[in-house]
Amino acid sequence: MLFPTLSFGLFFLGVFTIVWAASGSNEWRKILLLLASWVFYGAWDWRFVALLIGSALLNWGSAELIWYNRDAPAGRRRAIMIAGITGNLLILGFFKYYGFFVEQLGDVLRSVGYARDLPLMQVVLPVGISFFTFQGMSYLADVHAERLAPARLLDVTLLMSFFPHLVAGPIVRGSDLLPQFEESPRLTRDMASMGLVLIVWGLFKKAVVASELSTGLVDPVFFDPAAHSRLDLVAAAYGYAVQIYCDFSAYSDMAIGIAALLGYRFPLNFNQPYRAASLQEFWRRWHISLSSWLRDYLYIDALGGSRKGFARQCVNLMVTMLLGGLWHGAKWTFVIWGGLHGGVLALERIWDRIRPPSLPRLPRVLGILITFHVVLVGWIFFRAESFDAAIAYFRGLGRAGADSAVLTPLACALIVFGMAIHFTPADLGQKLALKLRLFPAWALGLLVGITILIIDVMRFEGVAPFIYYQF
Amino acid sequence: MPNDTPSPIDLPEPELEESGLGWAFGVILIASLFLLFANAVSLRDWIEDQHPSPVQARAAEYADQWVATTEGLGIGLPRKAMHTRWKQVEETRFARTTQKGRAVDGRD
């Protein structure tokens, strides 16, 4: 069930009505939200609802054990946490990486002349598994560090299953959402107006900008780079940068808006990432819930961050980004993408150290241009089907010829639009919401209806799944 | 609610006192009714995409009648006109030019 479809629209109308009608009892409200979330997830594959429940049970049980042993030696509590996290990693590893690692192992064995038939299986990837396992792991780490008290089974299950963030984030941490589950929420006009702005804006970015660029430009060029001119390849690379931003940020915007209409507050996940003047700044603006997760739980908690010296800090950055790349999927192109980001992040740190104080700092505009193009190179690896396909793409950029078979005035306009929205005031949506909250319901209802109608007129036939569903 | 992580729903001015639930419900209801009338084609297309069954067949029949009604009343026409215009925008291509700068499709 995709957000920008009528199926989801009708589902949400039902949930919105029933859940607010049941708000007299917070317990019933949460039970209804949980059932709705399972229906939402079950629309992909009912079998994986059991996995979701099993995963919630694992994390709830592990957190209870950690808390029960809070006066026991630290080693025991740590061992329970590690066991819980290992359980999560085993689930993720089996569904997401089993095939990849068995294939790599087979290649290694063949290369040393020890070819064997390894037990290959076609494992179906449950939608959103990377998101809910990361959420479970951070819950355990927070309970272990006593940043969070363990929550009841219903709340933990709802935390992990809550449908707005379930399949493509943002990764909402227990510390953000669990306290909100403790009492019946209140829907304010602020939440409702901003929620509607986010939903309609997200719908436009996904259904019009991302879908149009994907279908008309990016997909055909990345499918066969050798058959396209240099101009097409350049345009498709810029097109993909805009597409992935409009696709993924659209999901986050809609998720935050939907949660707001149900009375819950989700954290910001994107903040105009292409206006970043360094890669470090980029990661404070792009997929903020993942980058802050990786920073807090992997880079600082597990690897030690910058506490073990400068050289180790650079290694930690690299390891964090390599694993961050692998989080996106079991492909070498993701690892290379992560390695590129980790390498440039480390270089930025090194340059900060060795830069002579007399040397003037780079003008911000130049920093933005360089950072964007580093990100763009990374996106080519991220989007390419394989390492060879990415290399073929880069080779094609050196080819002569400026004829284009796929570039249209509309695609150009959407690329320019997708970049331009990064340089508008960051609080434009909030200012709009402040004005809209004063509208009478009938006027805003008509305005929302007309805007959705216009978007529906412009949308590409059919809705492609969100890029981050596969992660 | 925790406020240590920023969220776009934290507006930069004081909250309005009145509850937003009835207001939000009204907004969603009006928007839905508007779309039911002005965007009947989408509802028909969605019903046609559902798994075939006697219920689906009957719903598709009603949806067809509903589309005919809204078009007869002229309510569905703005959608149709906008969609036609958007398709033209989608199909617009750059004029392919030769080295001498003349358009190969005959348009100079």
Side-chain angles (χ1 to χ4, degrees):
Chain A
M1 208 187 296
L2 301 164
F3 280 175
T5 59
L6 191 53
S7 300
F8 180 79
L10 296 172
F11 166 80
F12 181 71
L13 281 181
V15 172
F16 179 80
T17 310
I18 293 168
V19 161
W20 282 111
S23 282
S25 158
N26 192 33
E27 293 304 295
W28 274 108
R29 187 180 207 280
K30 287 189 284 190
I31 290 168
L32 289 169
L33 278 175
L34 188 58
L35 291 174
S37 299
W38 288 345
V39 169
F40 173 80
Y41 198 58
W44 275 282
D45 194 326
W46 269 106
R47 291 168 301 174
F48 293 138
V49 175
L51 175 71
L52 195 57
I53 297 170
S55 185
L57 278 170
L58 167 74
N59 290 301
W60 170 77
S62 304
E64 286 293 319
L65 268 179
I66 292 170
W67 198 252
Y68 181 76
N69 285 286
R70 63 185 179 278
D71 297 324
R76 190 188 297 173
R77 294 171 59 244
R78 190 171 167 77
I80 299 167
M81 178 193 68
I82 290 172
I85 287 178
T86 307
N88 281 293
L89 289 174
L90 283 175
I91 293 172
L92 187 63
F94 174 74
F95 284 102
K96 195 158 178 174
Y97 302 108
Y98 176 82
F100 175 72
F101 283 122
V102 170
E103 217 175 281
Q104 304 310 311
L105 182 64
D107 288 349
V108 170
L109 290 179
R110 257 192 304 280
S111 68
V112 295
Y114 193 74
R116 285 285 179 278
D117 285 333
L118 294 170
L120 273 170
M121 282 192 286
Q122 281 293 333
V123 182
V124 181
L125 182 68
V127 179
I129 189 168
S130 308
F131 289 93
F132 67 75
T133 50
F134 264 44
Q135 203 174 31
M137 287 192 285
S138 63
Y139 171 64
L140 289 183
D142 285 343
V143 171
H144 174 259
E146 299 190 9
R147 291 186 286 253
L148 193 65
R152 297 163 54 220
L153 178 59
L154 174 62
D155 290 8
V156 175
T157 315
L158 183 56
L159 167 74
M160 294 185 64
S161 313
F162 193 31
F163 71 87
H165 69 65
L166 176 58
V167 295
I171 304 170
V172 187
R173 298 187 196 183
S175 53
D176 276 324
L177 201 49
L178 287 171
Q180 298 185 53
F181 286 157
E182 282 168 15
E183 52 190 64
S184 266
R186 178 174 160 260
L187 184 63
T188 65
R189 273 201 184 198
D190 291 32
M191 291 171 87
S193 58
M194 192 61 206
L196 289 165
V197 167
L198 288 167
I199 291 168
V200 173
W201 177 230
L203 193 61
F204 176 75
K205 283 194 289 185
K206 168 63 183 169
V208 181
V209 185
S211 295
E212 190 74 48
L213 283 173
S214 159
T215 321
L217 175 65
V218 176
D219 291 353
V221 175
F222 272 89
F223 178 72
D224 188 5
H228 289 88
S229 69
R230 177 167 57 188
L231 180 62
D232 281 344
L233 296 176
V234 171
Y238 283 97
Y240 186 63
V242 172
Q243 184 208 336
I244 193 169
Y245 168 71
C246 285
D247 187 286
F248 191 21
S249 71
Y251 191 92
S252 289
D253 286 349
M254 284 191 268
I256 296 167
I258 289 162
L261 287 180
L262 293 170
Y264 299 104
R265 176 184 176 279
F266 277 10
L268 181 72
N269 208 24
F270 286 88
N271 183 16
Q272 299 179 306
Y274 295 150
R275 72 188 296 171
S278 67
L279 214 55
Q280 194 183 358
E281 188 187 345
F282 175 79
W283 281 105
R284 285 200 294 261
R285 292 172 174 274
W286 176 273
H287 202 176
I288 298 165
S289 63
L290 174 69
S291 54
S292 61
W293 194 102
L294 292 172
R295 181 197 63 207
D296 294 346
Y297 299 105
L298 182 60
Y299 174 69
I300 295 174
D301 275 7
L303 300 171
S306 58
R307 294 194 299 266
K308 297 178 180 172
F310 184 67
R312 181 65 191 272
Q313 182 190 1
C314 292
V315 172
N316 288 346
L317 272 174
M318 193 60 158
V319 171
T320 303
M321 293 314 293
L322 284 172
L323 291 174
L326 202 57
W327 174 87
H328 286 84
K331 273 165 70 174
W332 285 111
T333 46
F334 290 131
V335 179
I336 292 165
W337 172 79
L340 174 75
H341 278 262
V344 177
L345 281 169
L347 282 175
E348 283 179 355
R349 297 290 202 292
I350 294 168
W351 176 243
D352 273 349
R353 279 212 154 196
I354 63 168
R355 189 178 70 86
S358 56
L359 205 68
R361 284 202 175 271
L362 215 56
R364 185 162 172 87
V365 178
L366 211 55
I368 291 173
L369 276 173
I370 294 170
T371 304
F372 175 72
H373 285 91
V374 170
V375 171
L376 193 74
V377 169
W379 286 144
I380 294 175
F381 282 106
F382 194 91
R383 174 62 180 80
E385 289 302 319
S386 64
F387 179 72
D388 291 341
I391 296 303
Y393 201 100
F394 285 113
R395 283 208 184 106
L397 290 171
R399 247 193 325 262
D403 259 7
S404 175
V406 287
L407 189 59
T408 63
L410 178 60
C412 287
L414 292 177
I415 291 171
V416 171
F417 174 81
M419 291 307 298
I421 54 178
H422 284 79
F423 299 94
T424 55
D427 59 352
L428 205 59
Q430 291 182 316
K431 281 186 175 155
L432 178 63
L434 283 172
K435 292 202 186 314
L436 296 179
R437 69 179 183 168
L438 303 173
F439 277 40
W442 66 266
L444 185 56
L446 273 181
L447 186 63
V448 169
I450 291 168
T451 314
I452 293 176
L453 176 70
I454 294 170
I455 293 170
D456 198 53
V457 160
M458 294 161 78
R459 75 193 297 165
F460 209 86
E461 278 78 10
V463 180
F466 286 89
I467 294 173
Y468 267 66
Y469 272 22
Q470 59 188 298
F471 306 143
Chain B
M1 282 184 198
N3 275 309
D4 47 348
T5 48
S7 169
I9 67 160
D10 302 330
L11 298 188
E13 281 181 23
E15 254 178 27
L16 292 182
E17 295 269 316
E18 54 210 291
S19 164
L21 183 57
W23 181 78
F25 197 84
V27 171
I28 292 172
L29 185 70
I30 299 287
S32 306
L33 285 174
F34 173 84
L35 290 169
L36 183 65
F37 282 88
N39 202 18
V41 175
S42 282
L43 181 65
R44 181 196 61 194
D45 293 349
W46 178 77
I47 291 172
E48 280 175 1
D49 284 346
Q50 301 308 302
H51 190 71
S53 70
V55 176
Q56 184 270 347
R58 177 163 291 188
E61 206 175 292
Y62 288 138
D64 275 336
Q65 288 170 10
W66 180 241
V67 170
T69 307
T70 56
E71 284 185 354
L73 291 169
I75 306 169
L77 295 180
R79 184 197 194 280
K80 210 175 195 172
M82 284 192 290
H83 192 62
T84 309
R85 184 75 195 108
W86 179 250
K87 284 286 147 198
Q88 288 169 350
V89 172
E90 267 184 335
E91 280 155 23
T92 307
R93 294 286 180 272
F94 289 113
R96 290 180 60 218
T97 53
T98 63
Q99 282 183 331
K100 288 178 185 172
R102 287 179 53 215
V104 293
D105 56 4
R107 286 176 293 166
D108 284 325

